[in-house]
Amino acid sequence: MVGLEAHASKPTGTYSGGNRRKLSLAVAMIGNPGLLFLDEPTTGVDPGARRTESETVLEPGSTLLLYTDGLVERRDQVFDVGVERLADELVAVRDRPLEAACDELIDRMLPEGTEDDVALVAVRLRGIAHAPCRRPLSRGRR
């Protein structure tokens, strides 16, 4: 899935930084979690390598949320606290219409007087079933 097959017999302590990131990603995906936060999952990974870790099939009704770090990072708190808070807030707004959910999420996450720019992009897949894509969507485009 993440391209570590050739290294399966090696002790993980001998992995390069990029392969450690791939292993970390693979471990995070065990059990097909319903919610998975990825913070720059390909940092340190070979830039020429095919990026299969960012390919997945989303179920109808799924929402894909892309955001800049200003949504979860604060100078006065540990990063994990911001990510955990985002997960809690996503649960609270998940049944709202997408635009309203995004507006409320930003209102809930950003303290008054925040000077950091935040970008948030959300896409909710319609409830129409479709066949999984047989080829990577990113082929030939980076």
Side-chain angles (χ1 to χ4, degrees), residues 66-77:
L66 306 173
Y67 58 90
T68 56
D69 58 0
L71 189 64
V72 295
E73 290 184 351
R74 301 287 172 271
R75 290 186 180 134
D76 59 343
Q77 79 180 16

Side-chain angles (χ1 to χ4, degrees), residues 14-122:
T14 64
Y15 282 15
S16 67
N19 283 339
R20 288 181 187 173
R21 294 288 296 215
K22 289 179 182 179
L23 178 62
S24 177
L25 178 62
V27 168
M29 293 174 12
I30 290 174
N32 199 14
L35 184 61
L36 179 62
F37 287 97
L38 303 175
D39 181 37
E40 300 179 17
T42 58
T43 299
V45 178
D46 176 11
R50 184 166 179 264
R51 301 235 192 287
T52 57
E53 72 275 2
S54 60
E55 296 174 13
T56 189
V57 175
L58 298 175
E59 297 298 320
S62 296
T63 301
L64 175 64
L65 181 71
L66 306 173
Y67 58 90
T68 56
D69 58 0
L71 189 64
V72 295
E73 290 184 351
R74 301 287 172 271
R75 290 186 180 134
D76 59 343
Q77 79 180 16
V78 177
F79 176 77
D80 291 348
V81 170
V83 171
E84 288 174 15
R85 183 165 167 239
L86 177 60
D88 292 342
E89 299 297 352
L90 285 168
V91 170
V93 303
R94 71 178 171 206
D95 293 327
R96 290 178 179 60
L98 189 57
E99 186 173 345
C102 290
D103 289 342
E104 188 170 338
L105 186 62
I106 289 173
D107 288 344
R108 289 171 173 255
M109 290 297 297
L110 298 180
E112 289 294 322
T114 299
E115 295 180 16
D116 197 2
D117 290 333
V118 173
L120 180 67
V121 176

